[in-house]
Amino acid sequence: VLYKESVGTGTPTPVTPEMERVKRNQEICSSVLYKEKIGKATPTPVTPEMERVKRNQEIISSVLYKENVGKVTPTPITPEMERVKRNQEIISSVLYKENVGQATPTPVTPEMERVKRNQEQISSVAYREGLGKATPSPVTPEMERVKRNQEQISSVLYKEHMAKGTPTPLTPEMERAKRNQENISSVLYSDSFRKQVQGKAAYVLDTPEMRRVRETQKHISTVKYHEDFEKSKGSFTPVVTDPITERVKKNMQDFSDISYRGIQRRVVEMERKRVDQDQENLTG
């Protein structure tokens, strides 16, 4: 701080080529003198720990380098860039072939011939040319399922590779043609239905699976019925009160009173006593 305070204002001088040359010479001299003062060193073996530290330093340097990289502007790949890239690959391939030295030819042994014949047999073209008569195999449900899956996968892949189409407006003419096609399809379907289905009974096998489905439907219907009953329980439907309804209601209430109060039981006991008394009078 005191040193900087005692320094006055200076006059800046431009950096000339001569000054650049002198600076580089000074750096070279410093490097030479530094290397001359270094004595002989004792080499140390590279241990696994040193290898680990070295790899860590390289990883840290790579991370720091990537952190210091700023944001870049992506440039589109132009046809010119594609052409230069292909030329570079061709040049690399040519230089690689030029650097290949002369090889020593080896004789074709019987083992090599056998391997070559095996490769030819594995080849699809040779395999198809050498095909003999085949035994037809029945189309099983599993084969049908695999075939349908393959068709669906092919359809999905086909749709993925499809480009975007240009939508066209629906004109009145297109609407008219669409309606005509629907009418024609409906007429053909009705004709086919009348010729093939109408008036004919459809026979369905009573398999265990069908019976299970039928029982399940019955259970579902029962559950649904009970659910509707529980929902409607507690509600009432208003009806018109007429003389007949009033009479029936009064009779039901009388029956309920008789049953609740035990009048019916007492009437039966009194009737039994009366019959016993009449019997005694007749015998006495």
Side-chain angles (χ1 to χ4, degrees), residues 223-264:
V223 171
K224 182 66 176 174
Y225 171 76
H226 283 290
E227 184 181 354
D228 295 339
F229 175 74
E230 291 295 332
K231 288 182 180 179
S232 62
K233 187 169 65 174
S235 60
F236 61 92
T237 303
V239 295
V240 179
T241 304
D242 53 353
I244 297 175
T245 305
E246 288 289 341
R247 183 175 59 79
V248 172
K249 184 178 178 182
K250 188 175 183 304
N251 291 337
M252 293 301 296
Q253 189 172 358
D254 292 339
F255 290 150
S256 298
D257 291 341
I258 291 171
S259 298
Y260 176 73
R261 297 175 183 176
I263 297 174
Q264 182 69 26

Side-chain angles (χ1 to χ4, degrees), residues 52-69:
R52 186 183 63 79
V53 174
K54 184 178 178 181
R55 285 196 300 272
N56 291 339
Q57 289 295 330
E58 291 175 355
I59 294 170
I60 293 171
S61 300
S62 175
V63 172
L64 293 176
Y65 171 75
K66 292 180 180 179
E67 288 180 354
N68 294 329
V69 174

Side-chain angles (χ1 to χ4, degrees), residues 71-256:
K71 295 182 179 179
V72 296
T73 303
T75 57
I77 298 176
T78 60
E80 182 66 18
M81 294 172 69
E82 290 286 342
R83 185 182 63 80
V84 172
K85 184 178 178 181
R86 285 196 299 272
N87 290 340
Q88 288 293 331
E89 292 175 354
I90 294 170
I91 293 169
S92 299
S93 176
V94 172
L95 294 176
Y96 172 75
K97 292 181 180 179
E98 288 179 355
N99 294 329
V100 176
Q102 295 180 353
T104 303
T106 58
V108 179
T109 61
E111 181 66 18
M112 294 173 67
E113 288 287 341
R114 185 181 65 80
V115 173
K116 184 177 179 181
R117 284 196 301 273
N118 291 338
Q119 291 295 329
E120 290 175 354
Q121 291 173 0
I122 293 171
S123 173
S124 175
V125 176
Y127 173 74
R128 292 180 182 178
E129 289 178 355
L131 278 173
K133 294 182 179 179
T135 303
S137 59
V139 179
T140 61
E142 181 66 17
M143 294 171 67
E144 289 287 340
R145 185 183 64 80
V146 173
K147 184 178 178 182
R148 286 196 300 272
N149 291 341
Q150 289 294 331
E151 291 176 354
Q152 292 172 1
I153 293 170
S154 301
S155 176
V156 171
L157 294 176
Y158 172 74
K159 292 179 180 179
E160 287 180 354
H161 295 303
M162 286 180 67
K164 294 182 179 179
T166 304
T168 57
L170 289 175
T171 61
E173 182 64 21
M174 293 173 68
E175 290 286 342
R176 185 183 62 79
K178 184 178 178 182
R179 284 195 300 273
N180 290 339
Q181 288 294 330
E182 292 176 354
N183 293 334
I184 293 170
S185 299
S186 177
V187 171
L188 294 176
Y189 174 76
S190 299
D191 291 340
S192 176
F193 176 78
R194 281 194 296 269
K195 291 178 181 178
Q196 299 180 7
V197 180
Q198 191 173 13
K200 296 180 181 180
Y203 298 96
V204 181
L205 295 177
D206 190 10
T207 60
E209 182 65 19
M210 295 286 290
R211 287 194 293 270
R212 185 184 64 80
V213 172
R214 191 162 55 246
E215 290 294 330
T216 304
Q217 289 294 330
K218 288 180 181 178
H219 293 322
I220 293 172
S221 300
T222 305
V223 171
K224 182 66 176 174
Y225 171 76
H226 283 290
E227 184 181 354
D228 295 339
F229 175 74
E230 291 295 332
K231 288 182 180 179
S232 62
K233 187 169 65 174
S235 60
F236 61 92
T237 303
V239 295
V240 179
T241 304
D242 53 353
I244 297 175
T245 305
E246 288 289 341
R247 183 175 59 79
V248 172
K249 184 178 178 182
K250 188 175 183 304
N251 291 337
M252 293 301 296
Q253 189 172 358
D254 292 339
F255 290 150
S256 298

